[in-house]
Amino acid sequence: MNLSDLKTGEKGIIKGYKNNNFPIKLLELGVLPGVKFEIIFISIFSDSLCISYDLSCLALRKQEAENILVEPINLCKKKIN
């Protein structure tokens, strides 16, 4: 699953990248495998999105987000009787 497949408010963990044609600047900003994040904003035409991770926020173009492989975090609350 790609980062661009998630919706606002969904959380996930970065698992890797589709190809090596990835801006090194994002790696320097901490967009690394194992980082937990949350989608906090998606633009009206879905051409960019903003993620929150490690007390930082980062806006990404859709093309960049499509190159980031993620695993969604499903928060299931179990009811205890």
Side-chain angles (χ1 to χ4, degrees), residues 33-45:
V35 170
K36 293 180 183 177
F37 66 90
E38 178 179 0
I39 304 285
I40 57 173
F41 177 79
I42 297 175
S43 68
I44 295 172
F45 299 110

Side-chain angles (χ1 to χ4, degrees), residues 13-77:
I13 299 172
I14 295 173
K15 290 297 182 184
Y17 313 102
K18 273 188 174 177
N19 58 45
N20 293 331
N21 189 13
F22 191 74
I24 190 125
K25 185 181 251 183
L26 294 178
L27 300 175
E28 293 173 347
L29 291 172
V31 182
L32 300 169
V35 170
K36 293 180 183 177
F37 66 90
E38 178 179 0
I39 304 285
I40 57 173
F41 177 79
I42 297 175
S43 68
I44 295 172
F45 299 110
S46 301
D47 58 344
S48 62
L49 57 90
C50 184
I51 62 171
S52 172
Y53 65 100
D54 293 338
L55 302 175
S56 298
C57 293
L58 179 67
L60 296 165
R61 294 181 183 102
K62 184 177 180 181
Q63 183 180 13
E64 295 166 333
E66 288 174 342
N67 195 23
I68 300 173
L69 301 174
V70 301
E71 178 182 327
I73 297 174
N74 296 326
L75 298 176
C76 298
K77 294 182 180 178

